Amino acid sequence: IVQRSNRANQNMVRSAHREKLIKQYPSLMNGDPNFRTSGHVHLGRRIICRNPNNISISGLANTTRRKGVKGTIIGFLSESDVDKLGNAAFVATKTSQFSKEGEPSRLFHIVLDEKDKDNDTVVVDLEEWEIDDYCEWIAVDEGGTKNDGEKQ
């Protein structure tokens, strides 16, 4: 009974967290299909992109891009997601260990810590190979927050 109660509490926390994310970042729900906010181990994980010159992040100062840009993965498209017409939600732009060019692939929605020149939140979408090539996982953030991510 205690185990079920803990799971129920975790599900309630995840559900509340999902609703908060959707309100805070409407871009999660502006697509066809919408980004998923649960169901992948990367969700909630913190990253730092150390080679962001290879990633198109508009609106950030060059000095910020050179020193590295931190962010949090808040959503993703699965390789099995399709749009209203039945087409793959996203196809890979190059062949990597994760997918083949032109085939359905995962795409991650990341909110960056840095603001753009107009002080707006910057959100970027990265393919799995871009995260692997240009970013590092942050094990523990400066504030002492452990980087667990949600279990798959």
Side-chain angles (χ1 to χ4, degrees):
I1 296 176
V2 171
Q3 207 170 26
R4 280 189 185 168
S5 177
N6 286 339
R7 272 190 233 148
N9 287 339
Q10 288 174 348
N11 287 339
M12 285 176 42
V13 168
R14 285 186 183 133
S15 178
H17 180 68
R18 181 178 186 277
E19 293 304 316
K20 180 181 175 185
L21 279 176
I22 291 168
K23 286 179 185 173
Q24 192 171 3
Y25 304 107
S27 60
L28 285 166
M29 298 296 138
N30 288 344
D32 174 21
N34 295 327
F35 282 94
R36 296 175 183 218
T37 57
S38 63
H40 196 281
V41 69
H42 288 355
L43 292 174
R45 298 226 29 214
R46 301 272 298 142
I47 61 171
I48 183 166
C49 298
R50 296 221 184 259
N51 192 357
N53 289 332
N54 292 321
I55 299 172
S56 176
I57 302 173
S58 61
L60 293 180
N62 285 336
T63 54
T64 299
R65 290 174 27 187
R66 279 194 296 272
K67 72 178 182 180
V69 180
K70 292 181 183 180
T72 304
I73 299 173
I74 62 169
F76 81 105
L77 294 174
S78 172
E79 60 275 15
S80 63
D81 290 342
V82 295
D83 65 16
K84 291 176 186 169
L85 299 175
N87 299 313
F90 180 76
V91 294
T93 61
K94 83 172 205 177
T95 298
S96 71
Q97 67 186 27
F98 304 104
S99 56
K100 292 182 181 173
E101 183 177 352
E103 292 190 3
S105 181
R106 288 185 285 255
L107 183 70
F108 293 90
H109 201 59
I110 302 160
V111 62
L112 301 179
D113 294 357
E114 303 289 332
K115 304 286 186 183
D116 67 9
K117 63 184 178 216
D118 297 322
N119 203 34
D120 291 326
T121 298
V122 178
V123 179
V124 64
D125 297 332
L126 298 180
E127 293 184 53
E128 201 159 9
W129 69 265
E130 290 175 302
I131 292 172
D132 190 57
D133 285 1
Y134 306 131
C135 303
E136 298 172 22
W137 301 112
I138 300 172
V140 177
D141 221 345
E142 295 81 23
T145 304
K146 190 174 177 188
N147 190 1
D148 286 337
E150 186 175 284
K151 299 296 177 203
Q152 202 170 14

